[in-house]
Amino acid sequence: MKSKINDIKNSIGSFEINSIDQLEAFRIKFLGSKGLTKELFSELKNVPNEEKKEIGQLLNQLRTDAELKYEDSKKTLIQSQKTANDLDLSRPGESFEIGSHHPLSLVKREIISIFSKIGYIVSEGPEIEDDWHNFSALNFPPEHPARDMQDTFFIEKGEKEIALRTHTSSVQVRVMETSKPPIRTISPGRVYRNEAISARAHCFFHQVEGLYIDKGVSFADLKQTLLYFAQEMFGEKTQIRLRPSYFPFTEPSAEVDVSCTLCNGKGCNVCKYSGWLEILGCGMVDPNVLDSCGIDSSEYTGFAFGMGIERIAQLKYRVTDLRLYSENDIRFLKQFKSGI
Ligand code: DAH
C-alpha cells in the first residue's frame, strides 16, 4: 500500500498541466469520483488495523497534494489566459510628447544653410572678448558711445579691458587675423548689451555676422548676396532696399530693408505702412580694419554684414515680444515643432 501511495505521489508531481484539457484530465485521474485517490481510500478497509492510522494520514496528504496542484495550476492557467486576452494588438499606441527645436535654433540653421550653399563656412569666437577684438580693431574711436558703460557689460576695466562681446563683428577680426583671403564666413553667436529688458530689448540676443574678403569684391557683390539671402529666407518675390548708414568698421555702410513679408510691400501695421522691414546692417570693410587685422587693403577688398537672429525669427514667426525667446515657456516653444 505504501509503495502504491508513493507511486501515485510521484505521478502527481510529474503530471504536466499546460492547458485546460490537461487540468481536467488531472482532476479526473487523481481527484475524480473514480480517481486514484478515491480508489486508495476504498482500499483502506483492507489495511491491518495497526497500520490504518499511518496509511490514513499518508492518503490525506496525497489528496491535499493533488488538490493543491490542481488549484495552483488552475490559477496560473486563468492568469495567462487573461494576459493573452488583454493584449489587443489593434489598440492605438500611447502617444508621447516630442520635443521641439527652439525657434532661434531653427532660424540660425536656416541662415547657415542658405549661406553654405554659396560657399560660406561657419566660424565662431568667444563671448568674453577683449577691447581689441570687440572695438579697437573694428575702428571704433576711443570716445565712441558703444564703448560706454551704458552699453557694454565690462568684466575688467583698466589697461586690458575685458567685456562680454556686444556684437559678433568681433569674430570677423579673429578670422582675418588667422586666415588669408579669400575668406567667406558667417559667425552666429550670442551677444550682450547693458539694456533694460522689455518686449523690444534684451540684455542678450543673437547675431549672425558675415564676411567676404577677396581681390575685387564690390558693393554690387554685397547687394546681390543680400538679395539672394532675402529671397531664400522670405520667398522669391522678396525685394530689398539699401539705405545709407554709418558703422565704424565699414565704408560705405548701409542698412537693409526687405519688402514687408506680410503685405508684400503694400503697407500694413507690421511694416507701419511703409512696406519695408529693416533686417540688417552691412557695408564694405573699412581699409583701416583690413590693415589692423593683417590684410593688405591695397590688394584686397571685402564686405561684411550683421543681422539679429531674433529679428529674422520675429519676421518669420510674428513673435513681437523678445522676452519669449528666453523664458522657456513650453506653450510658446511647442509651437515650433519641425521635422527632426
Ligand atoms: N555689428 C553691428 C551691430 O551689432 C551689425 C553690423 C553692421 C555688422 C554692419 C556688420 C556690418 O558686419 O557691416 O549692430
Side-chain angles (χ1 to χ4, degrees):
M1 185 74 170
K2 268 191 194 165
S3 75
K4 233 183 186 177
I5 294 177
N6 226 16
D7 287 350
I8 296 180
K9 191 178 166 159
N10 287 339
S11 62
I12 289 177
S14 59
F15 197 102
E16 276 202 32
I17 306 179
N18 294 319
S19 66
I20 296 286
D21 288 348
Q22 285 170 338
L23 181 73
E24 183 59 4
F26 178 88
R27 191 191 63 77
I28 294 170
K29 182 167 180 189
F30 298 105
L31 297 167
S33 52
K34 288 178 191 141
L36 290 174
T37 359
K38 263 268 157 55
E39 197 182 305
L40 282 182
F41 268 107
S42 64
E43 283 176 26
L44 194 57
K45 57 180 183 299
N46 307 327
V47 173
N49 274 349
E50 61 278 17
E51 287 179 27
K52 264 206 176 95
K53 188 174 173 205
E54 191 195 354
I55 299 292
Q57 276 172 352
L58 286 174
L59 279 178
N60 277 335
Q61 188 56 48
L62 188 71
R63 189 172 51 197
T64 317
D65 284 353
E67 281 168 356
L68 274 180
K69 176 158 176 154
Y70 176 79
E71 288 304 327
D72 275 358
S73 309
K74 193 170 161 181
K75 240 188 240 160
T76 324
L77 277 176
I78 290 174
Q79 196 58 41
S80 68
Q81 271 199 335
K82 232 194 204 158
T83 9
N85 290 341
D86 278 357
L87 190 67
D88 177 359
L89 295 176
S90 66
R91 264 168 60 183
E94 270 176 37
S95 65
F96 53 92
E97 281 283 305
I98 302 178
S100 53
H101 291 293
H102 193 281
L104 296 180
S105 302
L106 294 176
V107 170
K108 179 179 91 173
R109 283 195 203 176
E110 196 171 345
I111 297 172
I112 292 175
S113 134
I114 292 172
F115 280 103
S116 57
K117 281 188 217 156
I118 52 170
Y120 283 70
I121 57 158
V122 173
S123 39
E124 286 179 334
E127 291 182 14
I128 298 174
E129 261 304 3
D130 51 35
D131 175 89
W132 170 256
H133 292 95
N134 198 72
F135 295 125
S136 299
L138 289 164
N139 209 28
F140 278 82
E143 68 289 349
H144 195 282
R147 290 167 175 250
D148 201 274
M149 286 297 250
Q150 302 284 304
D151 284 310
T152 310
F153 284 119
F154 286 101
I155 291 173
E156 267 173 56
K157 286 287 274 177
E159 204 141 291
K160 195 169 169 16
E161 266 167 22
I162 306 287
L164 295 178
R165 67 179 175 196
T166 57
H167 53 180
T168 44
S169 302
S170 56
V171 189
Q172 274 192 34
V173 178
R174 291 189 173 272
V175 172
M176 286 191 273
E177 281 174 340
T178 52
S179 42
K180 287 193 164 60
I183 294 169
R184 239 187 262 125
T185 188
I186 50 168
S187 314
R190 185 175 286 175
V191 301
Y192 301 83
R193 296 210 188 149
N194 195 352
E195 302 227 23
I197 296 172
S198 71
R200 300 166 59 90
H202 211 292
C203 60
F204 66 80
F205 52 98
H206 301 80
Q207 291 186 331
V208 176
E209 185 78 11
L211 179 70
Y212 179 26
I213 314 273
D214 203 352
K215 287 182 179 154
V217 176
S218 70
F219 202 89
D221 297 326
L222 169 61
K223 236 181 126 174
Q224 189 58 36
T225 304
L226 296 177
L227 178 64
Y228 158 77
F229 166 72
Q231 294 187 336
E232 289 283 312
M233 183 55 106
F234 298 110
E236 54 185 340
K237 296 218 173 72
T238 309
Q239 292 299 306
I240 59 168
R241 76 172 182 187
L242 279 74
R243 286 177 286 106
S245 185
Y246 171 77
F247 300 102
F249 35 92
T250 43
E251 182 59 34
S253 305
E255 271 166 308
V256 178
D257 299 339
V258 289
S259 49
C260 180
T261 50
L262 196 69
C263 64
N264 295 325
K266 285 184 207 83
C268 66
N269 62 353
V270 171
C271 60
K272 302 203 183 71
Y273 301 95
S274 70
W276 297 95
L277 300 160
E278 188 188 322
I279 57 159
L280 56 83
C282 66
M284 300 305 291
V285 180
D286 192 302
N288 285 343
V289 174
L290 292 174
D291 292 329
S292 295
C293 300
I295 288 176
D296 185 353
S297 61
S298 64
E299 204 180 338
Y300 293 103
T301 52
F303 63 70
F305 55 87
M307 65 184 95
I309 301 184
E310 279 82 351
R311 173 70 177 154
I312 308 284
Q314 179 187 4
L315 299 180
K316 259 190 111 75
Y317 301 122
R318 314 255 165 258
V319 176
T320 48
D321 191 328
L322 270 181
R323 292 168 294 195
L324 284 165
Y325 290 118
S326 49
E327 278 171 352
N328 281 341
D329 187 330
I330 218 82
R331 291 166 301 177
F332 171 69
L333 295 175
K334 73 178 179 192
Q335 297 173 55
F336 299 93
K337 286 211 170 113
S338 68
I340 305 289

